[in-house]
Amino acid sequence: MHQSLSEHEQLGPSVLLIYATVCVGNIQKLMRERAVPSAYTATAVLPREWVVPMSRSAIAAATGLPRETVRRHVGHLIEQGLLIEDERGGVTIVPGAIQDRGYEPLLEKLLTEFARTGEALLRAGVIEVRSGA
């Protein structure tokens, strides 16, 4: 993931970890849904009410990075136009970033690699699929 994104954005490992954490944290409300509404699949821009801002403290807790490091890197990501301050508090990714920054091919590459990794872990017996709820 770092190699793929750093080819596109030139982010160091800690900065990428923060950015990825915010990206995942921002969609947590949607991911709790049993069925994701079809309007919000693929690379559709989510309405702001579905985006959950993340505080710098939450980012630090999720990444294990020191709060001051997170604060500094978040400031840098805001300056680069990758994150924005949300009026509800915390930060979010810029609406439409996937399309505006040309991330579609990057996401396809990352998802292909995630799928390959999952299949390899299944074959090796590291993970297993269980049926039922």
Side-chain angles (χ1 to χ4, degrees), residues 8-9 19 23 43-46 48 81-83 92-104 107:
H8 198 77
E9 290 292 347
Y19 187 66
C23 290
T43 58
V45 178
L46 291 179
R48 296 312 285 168
L82 290 166
L83 295 179
T92 65
I93 61 169
V94 175
I98 292 172
Q99 295 82 0
D100 296 345
R101 296 187 86 90
Y103 287 164
E104 286 101 339
L107 291 174

Side-chain angles (χ1 to χ4, degrees), residues 57-132:
S57 293
I59 297 166
T63 61
L65 295 169
R67 278 187 271 189
E68 180 56 29
T69 299
V70 168
R71 186 198 63 73
R72 189 175 63 255
H73 288 318
V74 165
H76 180 69
L77 288 165
I78 290 170
E79 288 172 11
Q80 284 187 295
L82 290 166
L83 295 179
I84 57 171
E85 293 281 356
D86 192 282
E87 65 273 0
R88 299 168 290 176
V91 293
T92 65
I93 61 169
V94 175
I98 292 172
Q99 295 82 0
D100 296 345
R101 296 187 86 90
Y103 287 164
E104 286 101 339
L106 171 66
L107 291 174
E108 182 178 358
K109 183 178 176 181
L110 289 173
L111 290 173
T112 299
E113 285 304 313
F114 286 147
R116 284 186 189 143
T117 301
E119 290 170 358
L121 291 171
L122 280 168
R123 283 192 305 276
V126 175
I127 59 175
E128 66 181 38
V129 177
R130 295 182 185 176
S131 59

